[in-house]
Amino acid sequence: MYCGDETGAFIGDVGSHTARFGYGGEDCPKVVVPSAVYSRSSSGSKNNNDTRGKYSAPVSLMRTPPDDCFSGGGESGDEIGFIPVYQSLNSNNRKNFPGGNNADDGLIQDIDAWASLWEYSYQSLCVRGKRKHTVGHKYEPEPELQPETAPPSSKSQTISSQSTTLDGPIDHPLLVADSTRRTLDAKTQEKQRSLMLETLFESLSAPAAYIAPSPMLSSFAYGRQTSLVIDVGHSGSRVTPLVDGHCLSSGSVSSGRGGRWLGNVQKSVLEGVWDVNESTVNKWNGWGNGNEESGVPPCQEDGVIPRYLLQPNLREKCSTKKLERLKLSSFHSMTTHEVMYEMMTSSHILSLASSDEESTPFCGYGSKDGEILDKDVDMAEVKKEDDGEDDDEGSSYELPDGTRVDLTKSQAGKDLCRLPELFFSETLPSFIQPQTNENQNMLPLQHLIHKSLTQILDVDLRKELSSNIILTGGASLFPTLDKRLSTELGEVLPSSYKYKVISSKNSVENRYSAWIGGSVLSSLGSFQQLWLSKREYEECGAVLGLQRFKN
């Protein structure tokens, strides 16, 4: 047992898009980095303070990877030394797992990459060393006293090298947010937790550890022990019922509609190409000024260009062969999504408070030339008077490479302003449907919640959960998304349910709710007896931890 009034826990939440770290008791994480690391050659990892073996963190999405991250001479993007922590970030996911739905399983594909992010946070926040709070962010060992001038009590005054070295022990117990999907079988979840425990104690020098599921921590961040947590994240949406602090696997459901999916839809519209059965097909794209012919998409020629390709003198720093390999790697897809995320969260996105729109955004796109649905024609006529207002603020959006996207004249531009509507659309646009995996659930948010509640057998519990619906996640920051969700729930839930959607107006609290919940939990005095100490781990192994963290 590892207890104390103030343990000063160190909390880590490695999510599907970013990793967050910081000390318990604080209101927000102090280190936020992408959930990926560089894989360097052996020569490049020497004398690098940010490396764990051959891995190094953090990665930069603004520049090309270092030269020692390129290995081999083939044409495959796999040879780029860029390792996503989770399978959901891997651009080769569909190729490696063609028949399964692994987009949002939360399984770590490289535990060393996961540990490397922890090591980087150790060094950024000075977790190692007993004098971190007085020395600051620099490890500056004091000069050793000479034996002839040292006083008799030199043993008590001399600072041991172990207290200032980067490889020294830590005094903070580690609280880990586990984002594994609750619908996975128990054996897979236990295997992941065992791997985490082994890494925490044997590689990260944890004196004690605790692994908590992310939905539980998000619920605690809002001060609730019983709730229905809707996490709209990067790799998808999850609904997890929580009863008295315990996650119920029976009512846990997930959908592929998340931030990355929404970004891919936006990217397809900007480029005007649809990927159907792994072949690129040009069809009606909605960019024409009229309603009967296609126009030229703004990114049709070169595609969406991420920022790392806009570096000055890029051709001198990186060869053409390296750039071609980069464009096939997970690094390129991750940097492209950053550009799409910035556009999705821009001010041109319309409010979602009402659901009076007559059609689904992008409905009819991807069909043959001239086969435009009547709904799209109606939508184009509804705001026809806006065509002459191209000089007003918000009438266009400029991408990092200078490409200007018109948002008023074309049907596609108007639909881009209604992009978050796809979270609630019961029918998907035609060009999205061929890409949808048959094994992947693509339910809209309101039906996902309804499906979760129907799997709860206790009627009273269903009513209690529906009155404590918590909306969180990085992709839930669209304007009035909570109000729109509440409106949609009124159409699918029974009238006897007094449903309530709870969402913070603070974007930091919404994005980092799991980390904030861990900060609150680790500060409670009643929680301190639940830590798994290193002595207990050495005596009983991971079995005791699996029993204690079974949630």
Side-chain angles (χ1 to χ4, degrees):
M1 183 179 294
Y2 186 90
C3 351
D5 295 335
E6 293 185 6
T7 57
F10 188 74
I11 303 160
D13 176 19
V14 183
S16 59
H17 185 235
T18 58
R20 288 79 71 173
F21 300 94
Y23 290 103
E26 297 182 346
D27 55 357
C28 64
K30 300 304 181 185
V31 171
V32 180
V33 294
S35 296
V37 297
Y38 291 134
S39 176
R40 298 173 178 267
S41 61
S42 58
S43 60
S45 63
K46 293 181 180 180
N47 300 324
N48 190 333
N49 291 336
D50 295 344
T51 59
R52 182 183 185 271
K54 66 176 182 177
Y55 296 104
S56 66
V59 299
S60 172
L61 302 181
M62 308 287 287
R63 301 185 300 271
T64 55
D67 292 338
D68 54 1
C69 292
F70 294 86
S71 61
E75 299 296 333
S76 174
D78 294 337
E79 297 176 359
I80 303 298
F82 183 82
I83 310 297
V85 174
Y86 292 102
Q87 295 177 357
S88 61
L89 294 175
N90 197 330
S91 63
N92 299 311
N93 233 9
R94 220 187 300 178
K95 177 178 68 175
N96 297 334
F97 306 93
N101 173 23
N102 50 65
D104 192 26
D105 52 16
L107 292 178
I108 299 174
Q109 73 168 355
D110 196 319
I111 194 64
D112 289 332
W114 183 80
S116 181
L117 291 174
W118 281 85
E119 287 286 2
Y120 170 75
S121 67
Y122 279 10
Q123 296 161 27
S124 298
L125 299 178
C126 300
V127 178
R128 295 189 187 273
K130 299 180 182 300
R131 298 170 61 245
K132 55 187 169 296
H133 297 298
T134 56
V135 174
H137 288 281
K138 293 182 180 180
Y139 288 90
E140 299 176 355
E142 296 180 358
E144 297 183 0
L145 297 176
Q146 298 298 327
E148 59 272 14
T149 60
S153 59
S154 61
K155 182 177 181 180
S156 62
Q157 297 182 9
T158 303
I159 304 298
S160 65
S161 60
Q162 194 178 34
S163 65
T164 56
T165 180
L166 294 175
D167 298 327
I170 64 174
D171 299 328
H172 303 274
L174 305 182
L175 192 149
V176 181
D178 182 15
S179 58
T180 308
R181 195 175 63 191
R182 313 308 299 174
T183 54
L184 294 176
D185 58 279
K187 191 173 183 180
T188 302
Q189 296 186 44
E190 289 180 357
K191 182 179 179 180
Q192 169 121 322
R193 292 196 189 103
S194 299
L195 198 59
M196 285 181 174
L197 284 174
E198 179 182 351
T199 305
L200 290 172
F201 285 111
E202 298 183 10
S203 299
L204 297 176
S205 309
Y210 189 87
I211 299 177
S214 294
M216 181 189 80
L217 297 178
S218 297
S219 183
F220 288 171
Y222 286 87
R224 284 167 169 77
Q225 293 184 345
T226 300
S227 64
L228 191 69
V229 180
I230 296 95
D231 185 1
V232 187
H234 172 72
S235 56
S237 303
R238 299 184 188 178
V239 178
T240 307
L242 198 76
V243 179
D244 294 331
H246 295 277
C247 298
L248 302 182
S249 58
S250 58
S252 299
V253 292
S254 61
S255 170
R257 301 194 192 192
R260 184 184 58 174
W261 173 78
L262 214 59
N264 288 339
V265 173
Q266 183 177 246
K267 180 175 177 288
S268 296
V269 174
L270 291 175
E271 296 177 350
V273 294
W274 327 120
D275 182 13
V276 181
N277 297 327
E278 298 184 355
S279 62
T280 301
V281 181
N282 287 284
K283 295 184 178 181
W284 182 74
N285 52 50
W287 287 104
N289 292 331
N291 296 324
E292 297 180 355
E293 60 181 10
S294 296
V296 179
C299 301
Q300 184 180 42
E301 184 176 352
D302 299 322
V304 176
I305 300 178
R307 281 189 168 84
Y308 81 91
L309 291 177
L310 302 176
Q311 297 179 79
N313 303 323
L314 178 63
R315 296 293 179 179
E316 299 177 3
K317 300 177 183 178
C318 196
S319 64
T320 304
K321 188 175 183 179
K322 286 184 178 180
L323 289 177
E324 292 299 325
R325 291 163 59 190
L326 271 177
K327 292 179 181 180
L328 299 175
S329 67
S330 301
F331 175 79
H332 182 81
S333 60
M334 197 169 183
T335 53
T336 304
H337 175 77
E338 287 299 308
V339 177
M340 293 294 94
Y341 180 79
E342 291 176 9
M343 184 174 179
M344 286 191 298
T345 55
S346 183
S347 58
H348 68 268
I349 299 295
L350 299 178
S351 172
L352 288 168
S354 63
S355 58
D356 299 332
E357 298 292 352
E358 300 176 2
S359 72
T360 301
F362 317 113
C363 195
Y365 290 45
S367 60
K368 295 181 180 179
D369 294 340
E371 291 185 6
I372 313 229
L373 299 183
D374 294 337
K375 293 181 180 179
D376 297 310
V377 178
D378 296 338
M379 280 302 302
E381 293 176 351
V382 169
K383 298 183 180 180
K384 191 174 181 180
E385 63 275 7
D386 295 338
D387 290 350
E389 301 178 0
D390 54 325
D391 294 332
D392 295 342
E393 184 179 358
S395 63
S396 63
Y397 180 85
E398 186 175 349
L399 295 172
D401 63 337
T403 302
R404 189 167 291 275
V405 181
D406 181 79
L407 301 173
T408 57
K409 291 185 177 181
S410 63
Q411 179 63 37
K414 296 174 183 178
D415 286 346
L416 285 175
C417 299
R418 302 173 51 231
L419 183 67
E421 290 278 348
L422 294 177
F423 278 141
F424 304 99
S425 302
E426 296 188 11
T427 58
L428 292 176
S430 57
F431 71 92
I432 300 178
Q433 293 172 355
Q435 303 180 56
T436 304
N437 194 325
E438 295 180 356
N439 298 324
Q440 186 172 1
N441 182 4
M442 295 297 291
L443 287 176
L445 288 182
Q446 69 272 22
H447 290 291
L448 198 66
I449 295 173
H450 181 263
K451 181 180 179 180
S452 174
L453 290 174
T454 54
Q455 295 179 4
I456 305 296
L457 301 181
D458 192 336
V459 178
D460 295 333
L461 180 58
R462 269 190 301 218
K463 292 182 177 180
E464 184 178 2
L465 290 173
S466 62
S467 62
N468 293 278
I469 299 176
I470 295 177
L471 179 63
T472 184
S476 67
L477 303 178
F478 294 104
T480 63
L481 183 67
D482 54 339
K483 295 181 181 179
R484 175 62 184 278
L485 178 59
S486 181
T487 302
E488 295 291 341
L489 288 177
E491 301 179 2
V492 297
L493 295 182
S495 58
S496 59
Y497 285 20
K498 297 181 179 180
Y499 56 88
K500 181 180 180 181
V501 179
I502 305 166
S503 179
S504 175
K505 302 302 180 183
N506 190 323
S507 60
V508 174
E509 294 178 358
N510 224 337
R511 293 187 66 180
Y512 308 138
S513 61
W515 188 96
I516 295 174
S519 178
V520 172
L521 183 64
S522 64
S523 302
L524 299 177
S526 57
F527 172 75
Q528 307 309 322
Q529 59 183 345
L530 299 179
W531 293 106
L532 177 69
S533 67
K534 187 171 185 178
R535 176 178 294 181
E536 291 174 325
Y537 174 78
E538 291 174 347
E539 293 177 356
C540 304
V543 177
L544 181 60
L546 295 178
Q547 295 175 353
R548 188 170 298 181
F549 308 147
K550 194 172 184 179
N551 192 329

